[in-house]
């Protein structure tokens, strides 16, 4: 059969639109009579507004209105605590709902003017008086005594159950150690800033171009707040310039722009500044404590994983931080502890591989420390405690090719040439270190819908209201549709990012490829069945009475397998049957009966080489190999890009990224690209290898897709930290690993 696209390294179908500027983002849609809004942010983190003077701003010609808590009232959500699809337990922050200040840079006013420049200037003229409260609490390590158990958290999260007797077996272990790991807050910092362009139409009908990872979440948010029917609100988001989780929850610019449009009865755009991008959501600062006990042969006897993580005063944000350690390794005596510490900051927000990027960092560094104490190879220790079962759930993995990841990754990297002693590999004054770590993430499948429309000209349009945040969703869905229906990709168009399209969940958690992909497959299979039925109504006798097993769908035709020259095009079938089109809308649902007996995850093995200047402590990652067991790979080209992006982010997490908060003012100080450090080209090694290990899994979903967005970053940071120890002999327990931490004299040298 021709038209084999699944598994092929296909170029992005939206690539040309992006590089030529034809792709439009939320702040680029234009309309007549468009007004511009600029948000005024609070300068304190805790207290209340005692007075707000907007007279100077309103006196400027061209300033239309200034919205504050003094002139905004009567909204539906002020009477109830509306929750979006990604909200944690608690009472979500509601802008302009009173004088109280709950975090620094809280939006306290919106200035709307005829031009953006005028609105921006007028915003500087808004005068605000505050009554501050203190002290401001933002550093979790200063307030461990205030930690509390969150119970059930975000989306039903519940801490895994302890098993065995940790205390007893830890005390009996031949080798044991306790240590802690910390990282501060990190911000998503996508290239495209959050923006909403609200096009106002008659009778309060709105078309909203929003930066979001879920158009239906934004739609529910707007209708819930403003008491509008869904028929009146359409959310459109065809392209997203990066999000990494920041677009899962609707952000406050959507509220501000919609509020202004409805009140003024005209179209309004609100775009946040780079500084304001630091005012909502971030990966939470987290302190983790690990205790490991093992026998002399490396068998884990006892494991305790505790975490203290940040949340806001008004919501309890939870992550699966401690879960991974007891799932990754075989150990009969495991205990967990997970507590939150509320601070005077906005609620944290899911950030690529939430929980795993944090928890796996700690357990994988701890396993490396254990390996050195046992004088074992780090890979050997992991194989010693390898498990085919997630003991947290008491279920076997639906598939787990992690051993192949170890083998293929180590071979490609040349791991066997490593000398185990720290500081034993060098190039002149440059210390060379090799490190490795394991990665793990969930393989999710959520209900999704897709529609297929085959027109009389033989063109296929498939659609779903999902998003493409840069992962290649447009491309892989086109590939699935084209192969399923046997059509050239050039004749297939995939549409997404529109709330008028079939329902899909948020694009997050690496679930989209599996969920929407299977919906696309099903709806295209149904079009095939409809074509076969129409075939019997045509005058094309050579195929009309043939059994289905003798036929194939290829090149936009139904043809005889034994003789492909005997064929009829889909277009001719429709014309002869007197139909202008065929359409189908279908839903993909997880097979819960099949899945309930298995744990479903992706796995990885990451190998890293670092070069550390012995005098100055500077670190350069010089080589990386990431071996991935991620189920069916739909497109090796876009898949590799996903993993490479994760590897780059892992370098960033390990060595550079840190949101520095002022403990007196509760304000993120480095809220810009100049001081929030992320990698540039010079920081990235030329040698970055990605290996996709073959893995077949018919439990996760019929297509065997697991998703790759998150697994690429998990495991990278600990591999780098472990390599730094191998190079220097210094254990660093706080991210990012900056040169000052490396040259400090009081670091433990093993």
């Amino acid at each position: 059969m021709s038209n084999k696209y699944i598994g092929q390294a296909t170029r992005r179908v939206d690539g040309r639109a992006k590089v030529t500027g034809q792709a439009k983002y939320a702040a680029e849609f234009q309309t007549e009579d468009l007004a511009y809004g600029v948000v005024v942010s609070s300068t304190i983190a805790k207290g209340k507004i005692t007075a707000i003077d907007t007279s100077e701003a309103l006196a400027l010609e061209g300033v239309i209105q200034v919205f504050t808590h003094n002139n905004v009232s009567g909204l539906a959500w002020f009477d109830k605590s509306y929750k979006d699809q990604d909200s944690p337990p608690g009472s979500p922050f509601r802008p302009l709902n009173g004088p109280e200040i709950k975090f620094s840079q809280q939006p306290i006013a919106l200035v709307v003017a005829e031009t953006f420049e005028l609105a921006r200037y007028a915003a500087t003229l808004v005068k605000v008086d505050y009554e501050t409260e203190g002290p401001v609490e933002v550093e979790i390590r200063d307030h461990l005594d205030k930690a509390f158990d969150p119970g059930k958290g975000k989306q039903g999260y519940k801490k895994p159950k302890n098993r065995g007797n940790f205390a007893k077996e830890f005390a009996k272990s031949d080798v044991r150690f306790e240590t802690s790991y910390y990282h501060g807050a990190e911000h998503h910092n996508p290239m495209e800033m959050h923006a909403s362009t609200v096009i106002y139409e008659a009778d309060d009908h709105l078309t909203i171009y929003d930066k979001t990872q879920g158009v239906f979440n934004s739609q529910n948010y707007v209708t819930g707040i403003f008491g509008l029917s869904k028929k009146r609100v359409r959310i459109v988001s065809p392209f997203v310039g990066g999000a990494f989780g920041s677009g899962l929850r609707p952000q406050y610019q959507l509220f501000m722009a919609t509020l202004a449009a409805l009140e003024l009865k005209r179209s309004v755009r609100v775009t946040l500044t780079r500084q304001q991008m630091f005012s909502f959501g971030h990966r939470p600062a987290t302190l983790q404590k690990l205790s490991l006990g093992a026998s002399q042969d490396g068998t884990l006897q006892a494991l305790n994983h505790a975490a203290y993580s940040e949340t806001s005063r008004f919501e309890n944000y939870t992550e699966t931080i401690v879960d991974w350690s007891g799932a990754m390794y075989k150990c009969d005596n495991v205990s967990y502890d997970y507590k939150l510490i509320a601070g005077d900051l906005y609620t944290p927000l899911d950030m690529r591989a939430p929980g795993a990027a944090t928890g796996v960092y700690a357990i994988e560094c701890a396993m490396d420390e254990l390996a050195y104490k046992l004088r074992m190879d780090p890979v050997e220790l992991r194989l010693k405690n390898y498990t085919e079962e997630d003991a947290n759930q008491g279920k076997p993995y639906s598939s787990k090719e992690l051993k192949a990841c170890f083998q293929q990754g180590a071979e490609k990297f040349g791991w066997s040439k490593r000398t185990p002693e720290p500081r034993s590999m060098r190039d002149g004054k440059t210390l060379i270190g090799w490190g490795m770590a394991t990665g793990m993430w969930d393989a999710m499948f959520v209900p999704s819908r897709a529609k297929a429309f085959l027109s009389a000209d033989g063109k296929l349009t498939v659609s779903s209201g999902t998003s493409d945040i840069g992962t290649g969703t447009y491309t892989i869905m086109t590939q699935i549709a084209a192969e399923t229906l046997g059509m050239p990709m050039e004749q297939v168009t995939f549409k997404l990012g529109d709330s008028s399209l079939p329902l899909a969940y948020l694009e997050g958690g690496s679930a989209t490829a599996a969920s929407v992909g299977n919906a696309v497959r099903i709806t295209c299979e149904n079009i095939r069945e409809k074509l076969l039925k129409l075939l019997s109504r045509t005058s094309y006798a050579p195929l009309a009475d043939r059994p289905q097993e003798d036929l194939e769908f290829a090149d936009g035709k139904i043809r005889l397998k034994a003789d492909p020259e005997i064929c009829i095009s889909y277009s001719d079938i429709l014309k002869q049957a007197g139909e202008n089109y065929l359409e189908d809308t279908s839903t993909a649902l997880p097979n819960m009966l099949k899945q309930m007996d298995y744990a479903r995850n992706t796995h990885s093995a990451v190998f890293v080489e670092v070069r550390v200047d012995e005098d100055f402590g500077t670190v350069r990652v010089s080589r990386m190999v990431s071996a991935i067991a991620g189920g069916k790979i739909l497109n090796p080209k876009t898949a590799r890009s996903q993993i490479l992006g994760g590897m780059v982010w892992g370098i960033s997490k390990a060595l550079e990224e840190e949101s520095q908060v002022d403990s007196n003012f509760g304000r993120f100080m480095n809220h810009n690209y100049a001081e929030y450090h992320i990698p540039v080209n010079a920081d990235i090694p030329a040698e970055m290898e990605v290996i996709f290990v073959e893995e077949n899994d018919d439990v996760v979903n019929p297509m065997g897709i697991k998703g790759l967005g998150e697994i690429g970053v998990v495991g990278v940071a600990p591999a780098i930290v472990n390599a730094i120890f191998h190079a220097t002999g210094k254990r660093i327990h706080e991210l990012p690993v900056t040169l000052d931490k490396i040259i400090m004299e009081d670091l433990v040298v093993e």
Side-chain angles (χ1 to χ4, degrees):
M1 179 179 174
S2 61
N3 309 125
K4 284 285 188 180
Y5 297 113
I6 297 175
Q8 301 302 309
T10 305
R11 292 181 179 180
R12 291 175 181 260
V13 298
D14 55 332
R16 179 175 291 275
K18 287 186 172 180
V19 300
T20 59
Q22 296 177 53
K24 286 189 176 182
Y25 297 83
E28 297 182 316
F29 288 90
Q30 298 295 330
T31 188
E32 293 183 3
D33 199 33
L34 180 66
Y36 298 82
V38 170
V39 175
V40 179
S41 304
S42 70
T43 58
I44 69 168
K46 192 175 183 180
K48 67 179 180 180
I49 298 171
T50 56
I52 184 164
D53 183 357
T54 63
S55 58
E56 282 192 60
L58 288 169
L60 293 175
E61 183 179 354
V63 172
I64 303 166
Q65 180 59 289
V66 180
F67 295 94
T68 72
H69 70 279
N70 290 324
N71 60 4
V72 173
S73 63
L75 300 182
W77 80 335
F78 287 173
D79 299 322
K80 60 181 179 179
S81 190
Y82 173 78
K83 290 180 177 292
D84 66 86
Q85 290 177 334
D86 200 54
S87 61
S91 179
F93 168 69
R94 295 172 286 178
L96 309 186
N97 188 32
E100 294 79 17
I101 301 298
K102 299 183 178 182
F103 55 93
S104 181
Q105 287 195 287
Q106 175 178 316
I108 57 174
L110 178 72
V111 178
V112 183
E114 297 292 349
T115 68
F116 169 73
E117 292 79 8
L118 179 59
R120 185 175 180 178
Y121 172 66
T124 67
L125 302 180
V126 176
K127 302 296 189 295
V128 186
D129 294 328
Y130 302 96
E131 180 181 299
T132 60
E133 294 180 22
V136 173
E137 298 178 357
V138 293
E139 172 55 69
I140 62 171
R141 288 176 293 186
D142 294 339
H143 303 286
L144 295 179
D145 58 321
K146 297 181 180 180
F148 62 94
D149 190 331
K152 287 188 176 181
K154 183 168 174 281
Q155 297 176 343
Y157 168 78
K158 190 174 182 180
K159 183 181 68 179
K161 294 181 179 179
N162 298 341
R163 56 181 183 267
N165 189 324
F166 163 77
K168 177 181 177 182
E169 295 303 320
F170 182 73
K172 291 165 51 180
S173 298
D174 297 330
V175 178
R176 57 185 182 270
F177 79 98
E178 298 177 277
T179 190
S180 61
Y181 303 92
Y182 175 81
H183 72 69
E186 301 167 5
H187 279 82
H188 304 74
N189 273 307
M191 185 68 75
E192 180 198 10
M193 291 174 286
H194 278 266
S196 299
T197 301
V198 180
I199 309 300
Y200 183 84
E201 299 159 4
D203 299 323
D204 287 349
H205 281 72
L206 306 176
T207 297
I208 304 175
Y209 297 94
D210 187 40
K211 178 191 172 87
T212 177
Q213 290 173 247
V215 291
F216 297 103
N217 199 21
S218 291
Q219 184 187 48
N220 291 337
Y221 176 84
V222 169
T223 56
I225 290 170
F226 296 99
L228 300 173
S229 70
K230 290 185 179 180
K231 292 181 179 179
R232 290 189 172 190
V233 179
R234 178 188 174 199
I235 308 292
V236 183
S237 180
F239 296 97
V240 179
F244 316 116
S246 68
L248 292 172
R249 298 191 71 177
Q251 304 301 353
Y252 60 80
Q253 91 288 335
L254 175 59
F255 165 79
M256 296 290 202
T258 306
L259 168 71
L262 289 171
E263 289 294 318
L264 301 175
K265 307 297 183 184
R266 64 181 292 185
S267 301
V268 177
R269 172 182 297 148
V270 177
T271 304
L272 300 186
T273 65
R274 177 59 58 186
Q275 288 72 28
Q276 288 169 338
M277 294 287 284
F278 283 73
S279 63
F280 58 83
H282 51 272
R283 195 190 301 278
T286 305
L287 174 67
Q288 299 177 76
K289 297 183 178 181
L290 270 293
S291 300
L292 299 182
S295 61
Q296 288 292 349
D297 69 353
T299 302
L300 280 175
Q301 304 287 355
L303 187 159
N304 172 260
H305 193 165
Y308 299 85
S309 193
E310 164 203 350
T311 192
S312 67
R313 299 275 186 207
F314 46 90
E315 290 176 311
N316 288 348
Y317 175 82
T318 56
E319 289 187 335
T320 55
I321 294 174
V322 302
D323 308 43
W324 307 98
S325 51
M328 293 172 71
Y329 297 108
K330 183 178 182 180
C331 185
D332 295 330
N333 303 284
V334 180
S335 64
Y336 302 101
D337 196 14
Y338 177 61
K339 287 184 167 58
L340 298 179
I341 298 173
D344 299 308
L345 293 168
Y346 191 84
T347 308
L349 178 62
D350 288 347
M351 187 173 181
R352 196 173 190 175
T358 298
V360 171
Y361 149 65
I363 183 60
E364 285 304 283
C365 287
M367 287 294 285
D368 196 69
E369 294 196 45
L370 179 61
Y372 278 94
K373 290 182 181 297
L374 292 165
R375 298 187 179 276
M376 288 183 69
D377 182 278
V379 176
E380 181 185 349
L381 178 63
R382 285 164 173 79
L383 290 171
K384 181 71 176 180
N385 296 283
Y386 194 88
T387 177
E388 295 290 350
E389 177 185 274
D390 178 350
N392 289 339
Q393 303 182 57
K395 297 177 181 180
Y397 291 104
S398 59
S399 60
K400 185 180 180 182
E401 294 295 339
L402 180 56
K403 286 184 178 179
C405 290
F406 287 141
Q407 186 271 321
Q408 294 181 35
E411 182 178 348
K412 186 71 175 180
F413 187 81
W415 185 258
S416 62
K417 299 176 183 178
R418 169 182 174 271
T419 57
E421 296 78 15
R423 303 179 68 89
S424 62
M425 300 171 65
R426 65 169 58 232
D427 178 9
K429 297 287 287 184
T430 300
L431 301 171
I432 299 174
W434 289 5
M436 62 82 54
T438 303
M440 183 176 175
W441 182 251
D442 297 319
M444 292 184 274
F445 184 12
V446 295
S448 298
R449 291 174 65 78
K451 178 180 179 180
F453 184 93
L454 181 65
S455 61
D457 61 0
K459 301 292 180 63
L460 175 68
T461 301
V462 184
S463 57
S464 178
T466 187
S467 299
D468 189 336
I469 57 175
T471 54
T473 304
Y474 274 111
T475 306
I476 60 174
M477 297 306 161
T478 304
Q479 290 176 263
I480 293 171
E483 178 166 324
T484 303
L485 199 48
M487 296 181 65
M489 280 188 62
E490 298 75 22
Q491 295 182 14
V492 179
T493 300
F494 184 71
K495 294 183 177 180
L496 54 70
D498 191 326
S499 61
S500 67
L501 300 177
L503 183 68
Y505 193 62
L506 299 169
E507 182 168 43
S510 303
T512 299
S515 306
V516 178
N518 274 279
V520 169
R521 173 188 59 83
I522 292 170
T523 196
C524 288
E525 287 177 345
N526 289 342
I527 292 292
R528 281 172 37 172
E529 295 301 314
K530 292 182 179 183
L531 280 169
L532 285 173
K533 290 181 180 179
L534 285 187
L535 180 61
S536 63
R537 292 164 47 186
T538 71
S539 59
Y540 194 69
L543 294 180
D545 297 323
R546 292 280 189 169
Q548 186 172 340
E549 56 268 21
D550 291 347
L551 306 177
E552 64 180 0
F553 294 77
D555 298 325
K557 304 171 184 176
I558 297 179
R559 65 190 191 189
L560 192 64
K561 290 180 181 178
D563 186 357
E565 295 299 319
I566 300 176
C567 60
I568 182 172
S569 70
Y570 304 159
S571 179
D572 285 342
I573 292 174
L574 286 166
K575 291 174 182 176
Q576 292 187 29
E579 300 289 347
N580 293 323
Y581 62 88
L582 283 177
E583 65 179 339
D584 178 81
T585 302
S586 295
T587 303
L589 298 170
N591 187 336
M592 300 305 295
L593 289 177
K594 191 172 186 178
Q595 293 182 351
M596 64 186 301
D597 295 329
Y598 296 91
R600 305 176 300 281
N601 296 88
T602 53
H603 300 87
S604 68
V606 184
F607 296 83
V608 172
E609 177 185 273
V610 299
R611 301 174 71 88
V612 183
D613 186 286
E614 190 172 18
D615 295 324
F616 296 103
T618 53
V619 179
R620 182 169 66 88
V621 177
S622 49
R623 285 195 304 129
M624 299 180 73
V625 174
S626 188
I628 307 293
K632 179 70 174 177
I633 305 301
L634 296 169
N635 184 334
K637 189 179 183 71
T638 56
R640 180 175 180 272
S641 293
Q642 280 294 289
I643 303 304
L644 287 176
M647 294 164 74
V648 170
W649 199 334
I651 295 174
S652 184
K653 181 177 178 63
L655 303 178
E656 301 187 33
E657 263 185 88
E658 182 180 21
S659 300
Q660 297 177 337
V661 63
D662 185 301
S663 296
N664 293 315
F665 296 100
R667 184 180 309 146
F668 289 109
M669 299 178 288
N670 57 332
H671 53 345
N672 53 63
Y673 268 163
E675 296 169 298
Y676 185 90
H677 294 163
I678 56 176
V680 296
N681 288 346
D683 299 318
I684 306 306
E687 296 184 55
M688 296 180 70
E689 298 283 348
V690 179
I691 300 169
F692 290 113
V693 173
E694 185 174 349
E695 185 174 58
N696 299 309
D697 193 328
D698 63 356
V699 173
V700 289
N701 54 76
M703 296 184 72
I705 305 168
K706 285 189 170 183
L708 299 170
E710 263 79 8
I711 191 61
V713 70
V714 182
V716 178
I720 294 171
V721 175
N722 294 339
I724 291 172
F725 171 75
H726 182 235
T728 65
K730 297 183 178 182
R731 284 287 178 194
I732 301 172
H733 295 91
E734 180 174 334
L735 296 182
V737 181
T738 47
L739 61 88
D740 56 308
K741 294 169 185 171
I742 292 178
I743 62 177
M744 283 171 59
E745 295 179 358
D746 59 346
L747 288 172
V748 176
V749 179
E750 300 180 8

